[in-house]
Amino acid sequence: MMEYVFEPSQIPTVAVNGTSKRFPVRRIFCVGRNYAEHTREMGGDPDREPPFFFTKPADAVVDSGTEIPFPQATSDLHHEMELVVAIGKGGANISQEMASKHIFGFGAGIDLTRRDLQQIAKDKRRPWDSGKAFDQSAPCAALTKASEITNITSSRIWLTVNGETRQSATISDLIWSVDEVIAFLSVEFALRPGDLIYTGTPAGVGAIKSGDKIEGYVEGLTPISFTLK
């Protein structure tokens, strides 16, 4: 029997619609600047930039309905609404044509960003970890199995803060489609069951503060919501 020097942490998980079982999270990958208007909003060129990826720790995931403390070390916390893809079958160098076979399901998620720390990292040409990979920075609603969804591409995606719409687009506005993202990512990393992919955020990202209620939606999926303490 394996012995540890201290009790290991519990495996992070996400709820799954229609079942009491949970989806164990292995890694969280995020796609940067994958909606044209958001790319322009952040000073990029959507016609030239290939997809790029950053990561969050698996235990950054947070269930919908949670109260999240305003994170430390920042005065500029931003919301980024995203479609989340849950990988159920691993593989490397996956073709676009086979990508959908590797998807377990989809969810509505939010990439919380300490924008001030991210900007400092950008200015100094350093990694984004301090701005992106912090505690409770990846809220995710219950996953819906891919077999229960007919056409996620046509779904609307939007986010509200205290009832006011901040972000709104459709999944078809993605620069790189879900299948293309999986194909690109699987060249750089061997994907495994339990990996989550946050596929990018539409334009309209902005600051949130303590007391705000954030609600995010992807048409046909369970909404994501949380309140900042």
Side-chain angles (χ1 to χ4, degrees):
M1 182 177 177
M2 184 75 69
E3 293 187 11
Y4 301 96
V5 295
F6 54 82
E7 191 68 23
S9 300
Q10 291 186 343
I11 296 173
T13 63
V14 176
V16 178
N17 277 327
T19 176
S20 60
K21 294 181 180 180
R22 308 267 306 180
F23 181 89
V25 179
R26 180 173 179 264
R27 293 180 295 189
I28 299 175
F29 295 100
C30 303
V31 186
R33 299 180 182 176
N34 201 23
Y35 284 83
E37 289 305 312
H38 175 62
T39 300
R40 296 186 184 99
E41 174 179 64
M42 301 304 290
D45 184 346
D47 298 321
R48 294 183 180 179
E49 295 182 356
F52 67 94
F53 306 95
F54 58 92
T55 62
K56 292 175 181 272
D59 63 3
V61 76
V62 184
D63 277 342
S64 185
T66 305
E67 277 194 337
I68 298 178
F70 194 92
Q72 61 193 61
T74 184
S75 59
D76 193 18
L77 179 68
H78 280 211
H79 59 75
E80 297 192 11
M81 181 62 201
E82 314 216 359
L83 171 69
V84 178
V85 177
I87 297 298
K89 176 185 176 183
N93 298 308
I94 299 166
S95 69
Q96 292 180 36
E97 294 73 21
M98 294 300 294
S100 63
K101 305 293 185 184
H102 293 259
I103 299 173
F104 169 82
F106 298 94
I110 298 174
D111 165 20
L112 290 176
T113 302
R114 296 190 290 198
R115 190 71 73 200
D116 44 1
L117 300 188
Q118 183 193 32
Q119 189 59 55
I120 291 170
K122 286 181 178 180
D123 292 343
K124 295 185 176 181
R125 298 181 180 273
R126 293 175 178 173
W128 290 7
D129 298 63
S130 60
K132 291 287 191 178
F134 55 96
D135 295 340
Q136 298 181 300
S137 62
C140 188
L143 302 173
T144 299
K145 294 178 182 178
S147 59
E148 299 173 6
I149 301 172
T150 53
N151 185 13
I152 196 69
T153 302
S154 63
S155 295
R156 183 181 165 218
I157 179 171
W158 72 102
L159 177 141
T160 67
V161 178
N162 302 324
E164 175 189 357
T165 300
R166 294 272 191 92
Q167 296 181 268
S168 181
T170 61
I171 301 303
S172 61
D173 293 331
L174 284 168
I175 297 172
W176 303 99
S177 70
V178 168
D179 290 347
E180 289 172 324
V181 165
I182 291 172
F184 273 112
L185 184 59
S186 71
V187 171
E188 297 184 7
F189 301 90
L191 298 179
R192 294 287 183 265
D195 289 340
L196 295 180
I197 306 172
Y198 282 58
T199 58
T201 193
V205 301
I208 47 180
K209 61 185 185 302
S210 294
D212 283 346
K213 182 173 183 180
I214 295 87
E215 297 175 293
Y217 305 84
V218 177
E219 191 175 6
L221 303 181
T222 299
I224 176 71
S225 68
F226 65 91
T227 301
L228 272 182
K229 291 183 182 178

